[in-house]
């Protein structure tokens, strides 16, 4: 604990029945402890009075676990700690698992890591609602970050305080524990699971999680994060990857070097171009990633080719779409670089544009898909021939 500058952070609210046992267990492991009393109205104050050597913060009003954790993080940083292991005061976590986090951190290559305790959700005393909620949360964390975890809701965690300090965190209640791990992952922090023991003794455990309101708050947060993921994080990561590798290396490794079949790659190219050329402006990222996921296609390839509608190419896409529409409908060509958007907004020639856009997108996607399939098939055959001598 001293070497890694790590403390134990215990947020507590009306857990008088288990608080003393948790504190005694933690003190048997380390003296580096910070307790945040989140406006408790039971005997919490009297219990904490018996632990004068434990660093304590007493909040006048209960504002939620997230708020208590943020205040605890700030206090731990002031005390000179770099890491904080959070443990709940309801008795479900075992203090003897603290060394598990420390040993993992010592062996980790990077210290920019956030560990989440991984509970055995199949043990007999785990409530069904907790198991379902955890699966629900795990799926959305994977969708938002690309990292699959077995447990995203456990409060037994190790936080890298210097990295968490850089994040802008808003939520005050239980949804904070989702917000912080998603934003940490987005900022480059490695988020991993560490196996821990768990106890759900309903005779003594008091949970303040309100299934209706708190689950609704988490759902709203995940809805916001999905939109941020699709419209900012995924495009940002895509362009960062290209910038880091270079266009040639990116194409070679992520597209040509993919182990998917030529058919799957070709369909991914076709999907990306169709969506990129379609008139669904503002929804291209959402549509291409959603459809690629639905049809089990190559998401990097589909997303890469959907970016044919980048700003520098938009005038050409509009022009070719309108020209295709004029050719199909025989209507007047209203294209003028100076007033095309005004005409579209005014619905003049909108039908021509929409027809032309879908037709042009379909034509380009089919031709490109066929060319891609033929080219990729020939490349695979050459690789096999070279491999066989």
């Amino acid at each position: 604990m001293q070497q890694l500058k790590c403390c134990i952070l215990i947020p507590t609210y009306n857990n008088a029945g288990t608080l003393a046992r948790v504190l005694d267990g933690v003190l048997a492991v380390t003296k580096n402890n910070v307790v945040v009393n989140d406006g408790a109205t039971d005997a919490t104050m009297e219990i904490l009075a018996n632990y004068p050597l434990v660093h304590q913060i007493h909040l006048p009003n209960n504002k939620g676990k997230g708020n208590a954790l943020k205040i605890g993080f700030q206090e731990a940083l002031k005390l000179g700690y770099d890491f904080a292991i959070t443990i709940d005061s309801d008795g479900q976590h075992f203090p003897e698992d603290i060394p598990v986090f420390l040993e993992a951190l010592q062996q980790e290559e990077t210290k920019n890591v956030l560990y989440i305790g991984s509970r055995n959700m199949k043990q007999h005393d785990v409530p069904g609602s907790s198991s379902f909620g955890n699966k629900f949360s795990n799926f959305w964390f994977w969708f938002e970050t690309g990292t699959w975890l077995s447990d995203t809701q456990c409060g037994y965690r190790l936080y890298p305080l210097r990295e968490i300090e850089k994040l802008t965190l808003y939520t005050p209640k239980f949804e904070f524990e989702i917000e912080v791990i998603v934003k940490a992952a987005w900022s480059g922090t490695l988020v991993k699971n560490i196996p821990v023991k768990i106890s759900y003794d309903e005779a003594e455990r008091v949970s303040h999680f309100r299934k209706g309101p708190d689950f609704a708050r988490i759902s709203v947060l995940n809805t916001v994060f999905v939109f941020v993921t699709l419209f900012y994080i995924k495009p940002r990561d895509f362009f960062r990857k290209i910038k880091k590798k270079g266009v040639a290396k990116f194409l070679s490794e992520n597209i040509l070097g993919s182990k998917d079949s030529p058919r799957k790659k070709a369909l991914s190219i076709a999907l990306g171009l169709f969506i990129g050329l379609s008139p669904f402006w503002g929804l291209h990222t959402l549509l291409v990633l959603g459809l690629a996921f639905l049809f089990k296609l190559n998401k990097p390839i589909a997303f890469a080719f959907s970016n044919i509608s980048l700003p520098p190419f938009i005038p050409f896409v509009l022009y070719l779409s309108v020209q295709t529409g004029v050719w199909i409908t025989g209507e007047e060509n209203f294209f003028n670089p100076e007033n095309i958007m005004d005409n579209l907004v005014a619905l003049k020639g909108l039908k021509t544009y929409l027809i032309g856009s879908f037709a042009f997108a379909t034509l380009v996607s089919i031709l490109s898909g066929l060319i891609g399939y033929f080219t990729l098939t020939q490349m695979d055959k050459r690789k096999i021939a070279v491999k066989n001598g």
Side-chain angles (χ1 to χ4, degrees):
M1 296 289 290
Q2 295 299 122
Q3 180 184 356
L4 294 170
K5 295 184 179 179
C6 182
C7 71
I8 305 299
L9 174 59
I10 308 173
T12 185
Y13 172 69
N14 287 359
N15 280 129
T18 53
L19 179 58
R21 175 162 59 82
V22 171
L23 284 171
D24 291 338
V26 169
L27 285 168
V29 179
T30 179
K31 307 301 181 185
N32 298 354
N33 301 303
V34 177
V35 175
V36 180
N37 171 16
D38 189 23
T41 56
D42 60 359
T44 294
M45 287 285 287
E46 290 80 356
I47 293 170
L48 290 176
N50 297 321
Y51 297 88
L53 298 181
V54 173
H55 191 87
Q56 303 175 22
I57 301 174
H58 297 277
L59 304 180
N61 300 304
N62 173 249
K63 293 186 177 181
K65 186 178 183 181
N67 181 68
L69 286 172
K70 284 187 281 189
I71 291 174
F73 292 158
Q74 293 168 2
E75 189 69 15
L77 283 166
K78 290 178 184 177
L79 294 172
Y81 294 112
D82 292 334
F83 298 93
I85 297 175
T86 58
I87 184 169
D88 292 342
S89 62
D90 60 4
Q92 66 169 301
H93 303 147
F94 290 80
E96 54 262 37
D97 278 336
I98 291 172
V100 174
F101 290 92
L102 300 175
E103 290 167 8
L105 182 60
Q106 283 182 314
Q107 297 173 12
E108 197 74 56
E109 291 184 8
T110 175
K111 294 300 182 279
N112 183 12
V113 61
L114 191 161
Y115 291 130
I116 303 174
S118 177
R119 303 162 291 178
N120 179 10
M121 301 304 290
K122 294 182 180 180
Q123 71 182 47
H124 66 89
D125 58 350
V126 176
S129 57
S130 295
S131 180
F132 169 79
N134 190 53
K135 291 177 181 178
F136 178 86
S137 179
N138 295 346
F139 170 79
W140 288 117
F141 181 78
W142 166 78
F143 187 91
E144 292 153 6
T145 68
T147 300
W148 182 262
L149 298 179
S150 59
D151 193 342
T152 52
Q153 292 192 314
C154 183
Y156 208 174
R157 304 177 175 190
L158 181 144
Y159 288 96
L161 296 175
R162 306 291 174 185
E163 299 301 324
I164 300 302
E165 185 183 24
K166 300 174 185 177
L167 305 178
T168 302
L169 301 165
Y170 299 101
T171 56
K173 300 184 183 297
F174 285 102
E175 70 276 9
F176 170 84
E177 291 184 302
I178 299 298
E179 180 189 14
V180 67
I181 61 173
V182 171
K183 288 186 174 180
W186 284 350
S187 69
T189 297
L190 179 65
V191 182
K192 298 176 66 173
N193 278 136
I194 297 293
V196 296
K197 298 186 290 295
I198 191 74
S199 172
Y200 279 97
D201 187 348
E202 295 300 328
E204 66 171 7
R205 178 173 177 263
V206 177
S207 173
H208 300 290
F209 185 87
R210 301 166 300 166
K211 294 179 181 178
D214 288 320
F215 187 78
R217 293 172 71 95
I218 291 172
S219 297
V220 169
L221 178 66
N222 276 318
T223 299
V224 173
F225 278 171
V226 165
F227 278 95
V228 175
T229 298
L230 293 174
F231 292 106
Y232 175 67
I233 299 298
K234 293 292 185 183
R236 180 202 69 178
D237 291 348
F238 173 76
F239 289 113
R240 281 182 178 178
K241 189 177 292 185
I242 292 179
K243 184 177 180 180
K244 183 177 180 180
K245 291 186 176 182
V247 176
K249 189 175 181 181
F250 176 81
L251 291 172
S252 175
E253 292 183 0
N254 294 75
I255 296 181
L256 298 178
S258 169
K259 295 181 180 180
D260 290 330
S261 66
R263 177 178 176 274
K264 189 172 183 177
K265 291 180 182 177
L267 288 173
S268 302
I269 292 171
L271 173 65
L273 288 171
F274 177 80
I275 296 299
L277 295 171
S278 70
F280 300 112
W281 300 101
L283 299 174
H284 288 167
T285 300
L286 177 65
L287 287 171
V288 76
L289 291 177
L291 290 172
F293 177 80
L294 179 65
F295 295 113
K296 298 180 179 180
L297 299 178
N298 186 303
K299 291 186 284 296
I301 292 178
F303 180 73
F305 280 89
S306 72
N307 282 280
I308 192 172
S309 56
L310 286 171
F313 304 139
I314 289 177
F316 301 101
V317 171
L318 290 173
Y319 174 76
L320 292 171
S321 296
V322 170
Q323 289 296 101
T324 304
V326 169
W327 177 70
I328 293 173
T329 64
E331 294 187 1
E332 179 185 356
N333 182 0
F334 65 92
F335 183 86
N336 185 319
E338 297 179 359
N339 63 9
I340 182 171
M341 293 309 299
D342 293 336
N343 288 337
L344 287 177
V345 172
L347 301 183
K348 180 182 178 182
L350 180 60
K351 182 182 74 173
T352 303
Y353 164 67
L354 290 176
I355 292 174
S357 179
F358 281 117
F360 179 60
T362 301
L363 179 64
V364 171
S365 63
I366 290 175
L367 289 176
S368 300
L370 290 173
I371 294 171
Y373 176 75
F374 175 77
T375 304
L376 293 167
T377 300
Q378 294 301 311
M379 290 177 66
D380 277 6
K381 287 181 179 179
R382 290 175 186 171
K383 287 181 182 178
I384 293 173
V386 171
K387 187 177 180 180
N388 294 333

